[in-house]
Short mmCIF file of all heavy atoms in Angstrom, two decimals:
data_model
loop_
_atom_site.label_atom_id
_atom_site.label_comp_id
_atom_site.label_asym_id
_atom_site.label_seq_id
_atom_site.Cartn_x
_atom_site.Cartn_y
_atom_site.Cartn_z
N ASN A 3 17.54 92.90 45.76
CA ASN A 3 17.74 94.01 44.83
C ASN A 3 16.97 95.25 45.26
O ASN A 3 17.45 96.36 45.11
CB ASN A 3 17.32 93.62 43.41
CG ASN A 3 18.31 92.66 42.78
OD1 ASN A 3 19.46 92.61 43.22
ND2 ASN A 3 17.87 91.91 41.79
N THR A 6 18.92 96.82 48.12
CA THR A 6 20.14 97.45 47.62
C THR A 6 19.82 98.76 46.91
O THR A 6 20.50 99.76 47.09
CB THR A 6 20.88 96.51 46.64
OG1 THR A 6 21.12 95.28 47.32
CG2 THR A 6 22.18 97.11 46.19
N SER A 18 24.44 114.23 46.91
CA SER A 18 23.91 115.34 46.10
C SER A 18 23.91 116.64 46.89
O SER A 18 24.16 117.70 46.33
CB SER A 18 22.52 115.00 45.58
OG SER A 18 21.62 114.81 46.64
N ILE A 19 23.66 116.58 48.19
CA ILE A 19 23.71 117.78 49.02
C ILE A 19 25.12 118.35 49.04
O ILE A 19 25.32 119.56 48.92
CB ILE A 19 23.21 117.49 50.45
CG1 ILE A 19 21.71 117.21 50.43
CG2 ILE A 19 23.53 118.64 51.40
CD1 ILE A 19 21.15 116.75 51.74
N VAL A 21 27.47 117.94 46.74
CA VAL A 21 27.79 118.46 45.41
C VAL A 21 27.13 119.83 45.21
O VAL A 21 27.77 120.77 44.73
CB VAL A 21 27.35 117.47 44.31
CG1 VAL A 21 27.41 118.10 42.94
CG2 VAL A 21 28.19 116.21 44.37
N GLU A 44 19.53 142.91 50.12
CA GLU A 44 18.23 142.89 49.45
C GLU A 44 17.43 141.65 49.85
O GLU A 44 16.21 141.72 50.05
CB GLU A 44 18.40 142.93 47.93
CG GLU A 44 19.01 144.21 47.41
CD GLU A 44 18.15 145.43 47.64
OE1 GLU A 44 16.92 145.30 47.72
OE2 GLU A 44 18.72 146.53 47.75
N GLU A 50 12.31 140.20 55.46
CA GLU A 50 11.67 140.95 56.53
C GLU A 50 10.26 141.40 56.14
O GLU A 50 9.34 141.32 56.94
CB GLU A 50 12.53 142.17 56.90
CG GLU A 50 12.03 142.93 58.11
CD GLU A 50 12.09 142.14 59.40
OE1 GLU A 50 12.91 141.21 59.52
OE2 GLU A 50 11.29 142.44 60.29
N GLN A 59 -3.90 148.10 60.05
CA GLN A 59 -4.05 148.54 61.42
C GLN A 59 -2.71 148.90 62.08
O GLN A 59 -2.68 149.58 63.07
CB GLN A 59 -4.73 147.45 62.27
CG GLN A 59 -6.19 147.24 61.96
CD GLN A 59 -6.38 146.34 60.74
OE1 GLN A 59 -5.46 145.67 60.31
NE2 GLN A 59 -7.58 146.36 60.17
N TYR A 72 22.78 152.83 52.54
CA TYR A 72 23.24 151.98 53.64
C TYR A 72 24.76 151.82 53.61
O TYR A 72 25.43 151.96 54.62
CB TYR A 72 22.55 150.62 53.56
CG TYR A 72 23.25 149.52 54.31
CD1 TYR A 72 23.14 149.42 55.69
CD2 TYR A 72 24.02 148.57 53.64
CE1 TYR A 72 23.79 148.41 56.39
CE2 TYR A 72 24.67 147.57 54.33
CZ TYR A 72 24.55 147.49 55.69
OH TYR A 72 25.20 146.50 56.37
N LYS A 78 30.97 155.49 56.60
CA LYS A 78 31.23 156.60 57.53
C LYS A 78 31.52 156.05 58.93
O LYS A 78 32.43 156.51 59.61
CB LYS A 78 30.02 157.53 57.59
CG LYS A 78 29.86 158.44 56.42
CD LYS A 78 28.64 159.33 56.67
CE LYS A 78 28.10 159.86 55.38
NZ LYS A 78 26.84 160.61 55.58
#
Side-chain angles (χ1 to χ4, degrees):
N3 287 338
T6 304
S18 62
I19 291 173
V21 169
E44 295 295 333
E50 186 64 26
Q59 289 82 16
Y72 160 77
K78 283 182 202 174

